[in-house]
Amino acid sequence: MRKTNMKQYLSKSYWLLPKEDSCIAPEGVWSNKDMDPTPIEYRTWTGWTFFSYWVCDLFQPGGWATTAAFVGMGLMWWESCLAVLAGSFLSAIVIACNGVVGGTLHVPFAVSSRAVYGYYGSRFVVISRCIMGCFWLSINTFAAGQYVSYAIEAIWPSYARLPNQIPASQGATTKDFLSFFLIWVIQFPFLLVHPSKLQPVFYTKACLVPVVALGTMIWALVKCRDGPGIAYALSTPQNRVSAGVPRFIAFMYSVTSVQGTWATMGVNVADFSRYCRNPKSSWLQLFAFPVINTLVSIVAAITAACLLPVYGDVLYQPYLIVSKWGTSPGGRAAMFLASLAWALANVTTNVSANSISAANDLAALFPRWMNIRRGQLFVAIVGVWGFAPWKVLQSAANFLTFMSSYSVILAPIASLMFFDFFVIKHGRYNVYELYVPHGIYYYTKGWNWRAYVAVICAVAPNMPGMVNAINPNIKIGNIKYVYMVSNIVAHFIALNVYYILNKLFPARQTLIDHPVHDVLEDTPAIPMNYEDSSDMEKNEKLNLV
């Protein structure tokens, strides 16, 4: 009996999901309800929802670390905040525009991207987003593990002296990996619950984390006042980058790092905006996002600037700051509470921004085998343990290099998505055709070559800079100045190349006269226009979404 059961578990048929009925996907196309246009009763997001979301999401350790790292590079605290404002505004343009697209079509980005990259070509975009979602899930989980370490040390200080069996070359200790495992166990059940059922947790974060952030800044100000002096620390940083070109490079590199931080959201914001009552509410993000993010950066930048002359380091990660508090009973109490608050911030970010999005991507890529629940299980296990976040978080330089490098590809992908909708197609998409494999968005064998030529042209000038950022021993000459504005260059090249290609080689079948942006209640799903029965059999085998 056991052998039979084991064979059953290992068979493909055991894991095959039952085919769900879709309100829009044609017969023969495997889909699931999560990929359908959002029903009217679930379209509840307003401008205030977006504002509340960003207030909650932006108060998290990743954003703090990004700003503090700029101070560590040699920028003044206000220059760091200015870089955050500039980078956030540029990111907000992409986020808001793609948010309007999602709010208009009410479909996830895995579906809307088919209109730009082709029915099959969109899978590369979805895979890229899924990988980044898993990577961020891993990074945030490991960072949360650091807070677990200090929370435990606040109660049992001997935990800090746990014998280490891990080689120093790994950049982490036995204690780090044990805390990583503990937070993974604690976080696991939260990743399986839909964010709508975790509102009390999100409200708790929104109340606690800002208080902890402000308290941390006040502690840094007091620490600096008793040492070199606040005015001196804020006006005369000891690591000030040289004026002229070096300072400009540092500033623009910081702007690009901010854009890299939010490049993923620029791609998949439709996963949230699809729930909008009115797509216009997404425009609020154009102002709310940069303003809120800049306010958070002010707290982080002032804290980093004050701690630099005291400790000789900006202590760019909040867990590096709380580690200094365990010298007294009151300090350990603050260390425990702050660690819990920051850990909670990372967990809630993982739930809302990484786990659900990556699970959606997997459901879109493998609809026969993956639904949202299975996708969440997969990313909670493979997504967390399949990367090496301790290497990324080992230093501020590594952290910023990671931020800048992966956005080189995501930046043009995101900008082409809204550019195609507003400029090339003039806001006229047919939502039914997004679900038809051989429909108007089939392009050339399922791929829109125009979009990929534009992406390749946008990425190519930035590749030498990315290689140099990863390995500084490789000299690339003056082309490094292109990489410091990699996202801006990528956007500019991609949009211009894509526009020219569409003018020279227009995909006329996609240029429709009248938009169909919603599911019509009295209109049945469009049948598949296969040329012959072999096409239908072929697509059935490919498990198309």
Side-chain angles (χ1 to χ4, degrees), residues 54 58 60 63 66-67 70 79-97 251-252 254-263 265-266 283-298 487-488 491:
W54 287 119
L58 289 172
Q60 44 93 14
T66 301
T67 305
F70 299 160
E79 291 173 333
S80 300
C81 297
L82 186 60
V84 171
L85 177 61
S88 297
F89 181 73
L90 293 173
S91 298
I93 294 174
V94 179
I95 292 173
C97 289
F251 179 82
M252 293 308 303
S254 300
V255 172
T256 300
S257 296
V258 175
Q259 291 179 272
T261 305
W262 299 103
M265 180 60 77
W283 290 120
L284 179 68
Q285 299 178 99
L286 193 60
F287 306 100
F289 175 76
V291 170
I292 298 172
N293 203 23
T294 302
L295 291 175
V296 175
S297 74
I298 292 174
N487 282 38
I488 298 174
H491 289 314

Side-chain angles (χ1 to χ4, degrees), residues 105-129:
L105 302 176
H106 301 289
V107 297
F109 102 95
V111 174
S112 62
S113 60
R114 296 169 184 171
V116 187
Y117 296 97
Y119 192 89
Y120 300 149
S122 63
R123 294 189 173 190
F124 171 77
V125 179
V126 177
I127 291 171
S128 300
R129 165 62 187 96

Side-chain angles (χ1 to χ4, degrees), residues 15 134-135 137-138 141 180-181 184-185 187-189 191-192 355 358 362 370 373-387 389-390:
W15 298 101
C134 291
F135 211 150
L137 182 66
S138 181
T141 303
F180 185 24
F181 175 75
W184 178 76
V185 172
Q187 176 183 257
F188 191 85
L191 296 179
L192 304 182
S355 172
L362 290 172
M370 286 284 184
R373 176 53 60 86
R374 287 186 182 181
Q376 288 175 302
L377 286 170
F378 181 87
V379 300
I381 299 173
V382 178
V384 171
W385 292 97
F387 297 92
W390 48 90

Side-chain angles (χ1 to χ4, degrees), residues 23 42 63 82 223 256 292 303 348 434 527 530:
C23 70
Y42 291 104
L82 186 60
K223 197 79 174 177
T256 300
I292 298 172
T303 302
T348 53
L434 294 173
Y530 292 115

Side-chain angles (χ1 to χ4, degrees), residues 160-328:
R161 299 185 296 275
L162 188 70
N164 179 39
Q165 306 296 328
I166 306 296
S169 60
Q170 290 300 312
T173 64
T174 300
K175 180 189 69 173
D176 295 332
F177 282 108
L178 177 57
S179 298
F180 185 24
F181 175 75
L182 290 175
I183 191 60
W184 178 76
V185 172
I186 295 170
Q187 176 183 257
F188 191 85
F190 289 97
L191 296 179
L192 304 182
V193 180
H194 195 275
S196 62
K197 297 181 180 180
L198 292 173
Q199 287 184 349
V201 179
F202 287 103
Y203 291 150
T204 302
K205 169 192 172 180
C207 294
L208 287 182
V209 176
V211 173
V212 171
L214 289 173
T216 302
M217 183 183 71
I218 293 172
W219 171 81
L221 289 169
V222 172
K223 197 79 174 177
C224 187
R225 182 197 62 188
D226 297 338
I230 297 173
Y232 173 81
L234 297 181
S235 62
T236 315
Q238 62 186 37
N239 66 335
R240 182 72 165 136
V241 66
S242 301
V245 174
R247 190 174 300 172
F248 179 74
I249 292 175
F251 179 82
M252 293 308 303
Y253 187 53
S254 300
V255 172
T256 300
S257 296
V258 175
Q259 291 179 272
T261 305
W262 299 103
T264 305
M265 180 60 77
V267 172
N268 75 290
V269 65
D271 287 342
F272 301 93
S273 63
R274 63 183 293 199
Y275 298 104
C276 286
R277 292 179 188 171
N278 188 327
K280 292 181 180 179
S281 60
S282 184
W283 290 120
L284 179 68
Q285 299 178 99
L286 193 60
F287 306 100
F289 175 76
V291 170
I292 298 172
N293 203 23
T294 302
L295 291 175
V296 175
S297 74
I298 292 174
V299 178
I302 291 176
T303 302
C306 288
L307 294 180
L308 179 59
V310 176
Y311 293 101
D313 188 9
V314 295
L315 305 180
Y316 84 108
Q317 285 283 358
Y319 60 73
L320 298 175
I321 297 176
V322 300
S323 68
K324 305 295 184 182
W325 296 353
T327 56
S328 66

Side-chain angles (χ1 to χ4, degrees), residues 271-488:
D271 287 342
F272 301 93
S273 63
R274 63 183 293 199
Y275 298 104
C276 286
R277 292 179 188 171
N278 188 327
K280 292 181 180 179
S281 60
S282 184
W283 290 120
L284 179 68
Q285 299 178 99
L286 193 60
F287 306 100
F289 175 76
V291 170
I292 298 172
N293 203 23
T294 302
L295 291 175
V296 175
S297 74
I298 292 174
V299 178
I302 291 176
T303 302
C306 288
L307 294 180
L308 179 59
V310 176
Y311 293 101
D313 188 9
V314 295
L315 305 180
Y316 84 108
Q317 285 283 358
Y319 60 73
L320 298 175
I321 297 176
V322 300
S323 68
K324 305 295 184 182
W325 296 353
T327 56
S328 66
R332 288 199 298 273
M335 180 177 171
F336 176 79
L337 295 175
S339 297
L340 288 185
W342 286 120
L344 176 65
N346 270 354
V347 169
T348 53
T349 299
N350 277 342
V351 172
S352 62
N354 299 320
S355 172
I356 291 295
S357 296
N360 265 311
D361 298 339
L362 290 172
L365 291 168
F366 310 105
R368 283 180 177 265
W369 315 102
M370 286 284 184
N371 54 22
I372 296 297
R373 176 53 60 86
R374 287 186 182 181
Q376 288 175 302
L377 286 170
F378 181 87
V379 300
I381 299 173
V382 178
V384 171
W385 292 97
F387 297 92
W390 48 90
K391 293 291 187 181
V392 177
L393 295 172
Q394 193 171 8
S395 69
N398 288 354
F399 186 74
L400 292 181
T401 298
F402 168 72
M403 291 296 138
S404 300
S405 60
Y406 86 82
S407 66
V408 167
I409 297 176
L410 291 184
I413 286 176
S415 59
L416 287 183
M417 290 173 66
F418 74 79
F419 188 79
D420 181 83
F421 181 80
F422 288 108
V423 178
I424 304 300
K425 306 295 196 315
H426 303 290
R428 294 194 288 266
Y429 278 3
N430 187 323
V431 71
Y432 283 93
E433 290 287 338
L434 294 173
Y435 295 83
V436 181
H438 283 223
I440 64 175
Y441 302 117
Y442 182 69
Y443 293 102
T444 304
K445 298 185 182 300
W447 292 70
N448 183 6
W449 61 269
R450 304 160 192 80
Y452 278 99
V453 168
V455 171
I456 292 171
C457 290
V459 171
N462 289 312
M463 289 304 294
M466 185 171 70
V467 172
N468 176 257
I470 296 173
N471 185 1
N473 294 324
I474 300 176
K475 305 302 180 182
I476 61 173
N478 290 333
I479 200 172
K480 64 184 179 182
Y481 297 121
V482 175
Y483 186 66
M484 73 178 181
V485 288
S486 58
N487 282 38
I488 298 174

